[in-house]
Amino acid sequence: WLEHVDSGEDGAMRNREPYLELEAVDVWLGPRLVFEELSLQLHRGEHTLVLGPNGAGKSALVKLLSRELYPVVRPGSHLRIFGSETVNLWELRRRVGFVSTDLQNGYRPGVPAADVVLSGFFGSVGIGRSQPATAAQRQRVIELMEELGLTALAERPFAQLSDGQKRRLLLARALVHEPELLVLDEPTNGLDLRARHQLLAALRRLAAAGTTLLLVTHQIEAVIPEIERVLLLRDGRLVGDGPADALLQAGPLSALFDTPLRVVEQEGWRQVLPG
């Protein structure tokens, strides 16, 4: 089932400049075909949710944007990032910030918290002797840690932090270049209620300040009210694309997760209950 809902407002969003353009792309992850002839555009200034069950292809979509995965090259197919089929990775890191549980799980455990944030300038998982930081870079780290309530943790090794502190630290790391796009892959996985609410509050501030958000998750409660557009993924297929108010409803979500569901909404937040 493919559900597409297009209103006048939705159409206006699609006139914004795309940061990701996929045209009939095939993508393999090892021996598995993840996407077959997937076509999609994501736009600057459009806060977008990619929602789907585990194994739907959500993280693969993020890896296409981060250039960790590449589509099969064939006639009539292309992938463009910020309008270009050739991407300079350093330029990409300046324009796009990434936060993921994969990065958290793979980060070097002994790195002090302040250096975790600083490593965002170098795209590394620590700070080496060959990476001297400027005064301006260190000042940016101080500012971000203050904004996200992390100042007291500056000297603490990464491994000694809670999951919520680690996630906010990686958010600060992703923001060092003041990116125009922030990509969050399952950002609230494993967080307790307090840590989740702190992280979501930070995302709402970023959205209000003009940072474009791409939120990738299977958790409805992690969807902030600022999300405008929703993409529904299942088994590597785009099965829904439209405004949040239309797709974050019982019918589309029940079909997506193949189970009866009810949606309770209050002040733009949603909870999913058994149907």
Side-chain angles (χ1 to χ4, degrees):
W1 57 283
L2 175 63
E3 180 161 351
H4 177 81
V5 183
D6 200 357
S7 64
E9 181 181 358
D10 188 39
M13 287 195 295
R14 295 176 197 287
N15 291 328
R16 300 172 183 175
E17 179 185 346
Y19 60 82
L20 178 66
E21 300 170 81
L22 305 176
E23 182 63 38
V25 300
D26 291 350
V27 179
W28 293 80
L29 189 57
R32 183 167 70 96
L33 180 63
V34 182
F35 297 126
E36 184 174 9
E37 296 194 357
L38 177 64
S39 296
L40 173 67
Q41 288 193 3
L42 299 177
H43 304 86
R44 295 170 65 183
E46 174 185 79
H47 303 310
T48 303
L49 167 68
V50 181
L51 182 71
N54 291 336
K58 303 186 301 298
S59 292
L61 185 62
V62 172
K63 287 180 168 62
L64 283 176
L65 184 54
S66 66
R67 307 303 277 164
E68 296 173 69
L69 275 181
Y70 290 82
V72 175
V73 177
R74 56 183 174 78
S77 173
H78 67 252
L79 182 155
R80 297 189 183 116
I81 299 177
F82 293 108
S84 176
E85 293 186 39
T86 58
V87 178
N88 180 301
L89 288 181
W90 285 107
E91 177 66 20
L92 184 66
R93 287 171 183 158
R94 283 194 292 271
R95 301 185 73 173
V96 184
F98 293 92
V99 178
S100 70
T101 50
D102 283 351
L103 176 59
Q104 178 177 320
N105 293 337
Y107 206 89
R108 288 169 50 187
V111 179
D115 282 355
V116 172
V117 181
L118 189 62
S119 70
F121 284 108
F122 308 103
S124 59
V125 291
I127 298 296
R129 294 179 180 177
S130 62
Q131 297 166 311
T134 65
Q137 288 172 335
R138 293 195 178 277
Q139 181 59 35
R140 175 70 175 152
V141 169
I142 291 171
E143 292 168 358
L144 284 168
M145 294 188 74
E146 286 178 352
E147 287 176 20
L148 293 171
L150 298 167
T151 302
L153 307 176
E155 302 302 321
R156 292 266 300 277
F158 189 71
Q160 294 181 14
L161 304 176
S162 70
D163 282 342
Q165 291 167 336
K166 289 176 180 177
R167 208 69 50 85
R168 280 186 290 142
L169 205 59
L170 293 178
L171 177 59
R173 179 184 183 273
L175 294 174
V176 293
H177 290 297
E178 298 183 67
E180 54 200 271
L181 169 66
L182 183 62
V183 180
L184 303 122
D185 188 4
E186 301 287 5
T188 59
N189 264 13
L191 300 189
D192 63 25
L193 275 176
R194 181 172 183 269
R196 185 171 71 197
H197 290 169
Q198 287 176 327
L199 181 65
L200 295 179
L203 297 185
R204 297 195 72 185
R205 291 194 297 271
L206 289 165
T211 303
T212 301
L213 302 184
L214 177 62
L215 174 62
V216 180
T217 188
H218 66 277
Q219 300 177 331
I220 304 299
E221 63 271 19
V223 180
I224 60 175
E226 286 74 14
I227 290 294
E228 305 162 84
R229 179 182 175 192
V230 174
L231 307 177
L232 304 181
L233 273 183
R234 180 168 173 172
D235 298 327
R237 295 183 301 117
L238 184 63
V239 296
D241 181 358
D245 287 343
L247 292 187
L248 295 182
Q249 300 292 340
L253 295 180
S254 296
L256 180 67
F257 291 99
D258 194 25
T259 190
L261 299 171
R262 290 186 295 129
V263 177
V264 178
E265 181 177 352
Q266 185 171 1
E267 298 180 355
W269 295 96
R270 297 171 178 89
Q271 291 284 340
V272 174
L273 304 175

